[in-house]
């Protein structure tokens, strides 16, 4: 079985500061990795994904994440955040191959960007 | 519409009642998924449809939960004899050829 741990439930930062949201996973097989963002009263939106290839993945809104297989991590980063980045962020993992639809999510990290 | 549409957006019911939640996927998407998000938790997989058939229903918590997709488009999640523990946001998603899941805004169910 696979699992996802998001180490921080809340991350407050000031506008224009860098941010890192941490995600660790466990799985006995090769995985696909995802970050989703959920703005207030909206559905989940895909930020970025790692399927294979380069371990540094760039997504929308200036976010990027790095897959580290040895540390089983997929941390999300942004060099300079905006007020509009305030949202809940979810890390998710799925098995490769035929079960890649079944996402296992972490509990989420609430990012609050203050002026 | 352009996105995944879910109705109702909010549903309040009493313990023991029957509830139906509807999902209208993005046009042309053959795959449809239901997830459940309890307070303070990430979404949890319930069921996956490919076309009209349920390809994987391993996430349904018990036999009070059932979902259908009779014409391969709209899906309905049905919950019988609701319990307070069923209170959650029920999320629907659909995907097309890219495999990327597009989520709706969810149906918030409150069981009193």
């Amino acid at each position: 079985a696979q699992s996802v741990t998001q180490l921080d439930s809340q991350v407050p930062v000031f506008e224009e500061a860098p941010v890192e949201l941490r995600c660790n996973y466990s799985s006995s097989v090769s995985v696909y990795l995802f970050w989703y963002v959920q703005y207030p009263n909206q559905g989940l939106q895909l930020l970025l994904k790692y399927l294979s290839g380069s371990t540094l993945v760039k997504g929308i809104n200036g976010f990027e994440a790095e897959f580290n297989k040895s540390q089983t991590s997929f941390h999300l980063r942004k060099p300079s955040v905006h007020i509009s980045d305030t949202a809940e962020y979810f890390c998710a993992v799925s098995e490769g191959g035929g079960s890649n639809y079944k996402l296992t999510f972490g509990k989420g990290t609430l990012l609050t960007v203050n002026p | 519409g352009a996105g995944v549409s879910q109705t109702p957006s909010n549903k309040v019911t009493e313990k023991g009642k029957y509830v139906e939640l509807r999902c209208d996927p993005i046009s042309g998407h053959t795959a449809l998924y239901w997830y459940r998000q309890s307070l303070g938790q990430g979404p949890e997989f319930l069921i996956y449809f490919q076309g009209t058939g349920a390809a994987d229903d391993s996430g349904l918590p018990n036999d009070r939960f059932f979902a259908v997709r009779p014409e391969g488009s709209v899906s309905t999640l049905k919950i019988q004899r609701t319990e307070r523990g069923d209170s959650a946001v029920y999320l629907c998603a659909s995907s097309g050829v890219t495999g990327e899941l597009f989520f709706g805004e969810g149906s918030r169910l409150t069981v009193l």
Side-chain angles (χ1 to χ4, degrees), chain B residues 28-50:
Chain B
H29 280 188
T30 58
L32 184 145
Y33 317 77
W34 284 100
Y35 284 76
R36 177 169 73 171
Q37 187 173 13
S38 301
L39 193 63
Q41 304 293 318
E44 295 176 303
F45 170 80
L46 295 178
I47 187 169
Y48 156 58
F49 286 89
Q50 185 60 253

Side-chain angles (χ1 to χ4, degrees), chain B residues 5-56:
Chain B
S5 176
Q6 292 188 246
T7 55
S9 55
N10 278 286
K11 176 70 177 179
V12 180
T13 191
E14 293 179 342
K15 181 175 177 295
K17 299 289 188 183
Y18 170 80
V19 165
E20 289 190 352
L21 306 175
R22 175 189 166 107
C23 173
D24 200 341
I26 292 172
S27 178
H29 280 188
T30 58
L32 184 145
Y33 317 77
W34 284 100
Y35 284 76
R36 177 169 73 171
Q37 187 173 13
S38 301
L39 193 63
Q41 304 293 318
E44 295 176 303
F45 170 80
L46 295 178
I47 187 169
Y48 156 58
F49 286 89
Q50 185 60 253
T52 60
D56 185 342

Side-chain angles (χ1 to χ4, degrees), chain A:
Chain A
Q2 53 206 16
S3 66
V4 176
T5 302
Q6 291 185 242
L7 296 161
D8 306 297
S9 59
Q10 297 187 55
V11 173
V13 295
F14 288 109
E15 194 174 16
E16 298 183 4
V19 71
E20 178 179 81
L21 305 184
R22 297 180 291 170
C23 173
N24 287 88
Y25 69 93
S26 66
S27 176
S28 58
V29 299
S30 296
V31 296
Y32 297 157
L33 294 156
F34 307 81
W35 276 98
Y36 283 83
V37 60
Q38 188 172 35
Y39 298 104
N41 301 315
Q42 294 189 27
L44 288 162
Q45 180 182 0
L46 181 66
L47 265 181
L48 49 78
K49 61 186 176 187
Y50 171 79
L51 304 181
S52 65
S54 173
T55 58
L56 182 63
V57 180
K58 294 190 182 297
I60 62 171
N61 300 340
F63 283 93
E64 64 180 32
E66 185 154 20
F67 170 55
N68 188 319
K69 188 174 182 179
S70 63
Q71 296 187 6
T72 60
S73 68
F74 191 55
H75 301 332
L76 181 70
R77 302 185 183 99
K78 186 169 181 178
S80 175
V81 294
H82 302 291
I83 299 283
S84 59
D85 292 322
T86 294
E88 184 124 35
Y89 291 79
F90 292 93
C91 181
V93 62
S94 72
E95 294 182 4
S99 297
N100 62 355
Y101 56 85
K102 191 184 292 186
L103 296 174
T104 299
F105 285 85
K107 291 187 177 182
T109 297
L110 178 61
L111 174 65
T112 303
V113 181
N114 298 300

Side-chain angles (χ1 to χ4, degrees), chain B residues 52-70:
Chain B
T52 60
D56 185 342
D57 65 357
S58 61
L60 294 177
N62 51 59
D63 61 6
R64 295 187 297 105
F65 288 74
F66 190 71
V68 296
R69 194 186 186 200

